[in-house]
Amino acid sequence: RRQPAMEALDVENFFLEKENTYNSHQAYKNSKLANVMFTYELAKQLENTGVTINCLCPGFIPTTELFRNTSNAQRFYRKFILHGLLRFTKATRSVEQGAKAVVEMATGEKLKGVSGKYYKDNQEMKAPEESAEELQKKVYELSARYSHLDGFEPLDAPPPPPPEEPKEKSKE
């Protein structure tokens, strides 16, 4: 089954709550992009404080429970088939490898004093093109409001969407 085309992050539909806009792949993509944009903006706000912030992609870890709400067939495929095939190419990571990347970022000497960066596979990555500075500020503000952070007008998140229904195969 082909996945729908990915759309740009829409801060007016931050939770994809508008009718017919939610899909799990778009939600995942938006959440990862929002993490990166939030990191960039918070790093600017923390300049000259001695506090650093970075973010990272630990890699594709198909053995986590990230896909727990997908069909049994999709979970089996990702966990056993896809991971089985890709682990020899080093395209996937184990949970332990992903955790090691996080711990290294938090405690390693290599990034001491470094702030406002995005890393993947221990390499600094270029900011996603859609991560414009104005959008970074808006994502930061929305995050602060949904977190009810002092100094920001609080917002309550909408209820989560119902689980996606499996698409029925056409009988043609």
Side-chain angles (χ1 to χ4, degrees), residues 14 38 57 68 75 97 101 105 109 114 118-121 125-126 129-130 137 142-143 151 155 159 171-172:
F14 201 58
F38 182 90
C57 171
R68 67 188 165 275
R75 283 196 312 273
Q97 289 169 318
M105 173 171 274
E109 290 296 316
V114 175
Y118 166 50
Y119 291 88
K120 182 176 180 181
D121 298 326
M125 303 300 292
K126 183 178 157 210
E129 286 200 20
E130 66 182 286
K137 288 178 183 175
L142 283 170
S143 298
L155 282 175
K171 299 177 182 178
E172 293 178 10

Side-chain angles (χ1 to χ4, degrees), residues 36-57:
V36 173
M37 290 193 291
F38 182 90
T39 298
Y40 290 155
E41 181 58 28
L42 183 57
K44 290 175 199 154
Q45 297 203 19
L46 292 173
E47 280 180 2
N48 303 315
T49 66
V51 177
T52 62
I53 179 170
N54 295 293
C55 61
L56 80 114
C57 171

Side-chain angles (χ1 to χ4, degrees), residues 51-133:
V51 177
T52 62
I53 179 170
N54 295 293
C55 61
L56 80 114
C57 171
F60 177 45
I61 306 172
T63 56
T64 66
E65 291 297 310
L66 181 64
F67 302 107
R68 67 188 165 275
N69 294 323
T70 60
S71 72
N72 288 336
Q74 287 175 321
R75 283 196 312 273
F76 179 85
Y77 173 77
R78 283 189 177 99
K79 192 170 186 174
F80 297 107
I81 308 297
L82 189 60
H83 178 58
L85 293 171
L86 294 179
R87 68 185 168 150
F88 298 108
T89 66
K90 299 189 180 188
T92 64
R93 304 284 183 272
S94 68
V95 171
E96 292 78 16
Q97 289 169 318
K100 183 179 178 187
V102 172
V103 169
E104 181 62 31
M105 173 171 274
T107 63
E109 290 296 316
K110 178 182 172 190
L111 297 179
K112 194 171 188 165
V114 175
S115 192
K117 304 293 182 186
Y118 166 50
Y119 291 88
K120 182 176 180 181
D121 298 326
N122 293 318
Q123 300 293 315
E124 183 181 337
M125 303 300 292
K126 183 178 157 210
E129 286 200 20
E130 66 182 286
S131 177
E133 208 165 306

Side-chain angles (χ1 to χ4, degrees), residues 38 140-150 153-156:
F38 182 90
Y140 178 85
E141 180 186 325
L142 283 170
S143 298
R145 292 180 71 192
Y146 284 119
S147 301
H148 294 208
L149 198 63
D150 286 343
E153 184 181 338
L155 282 175
D156 291 319

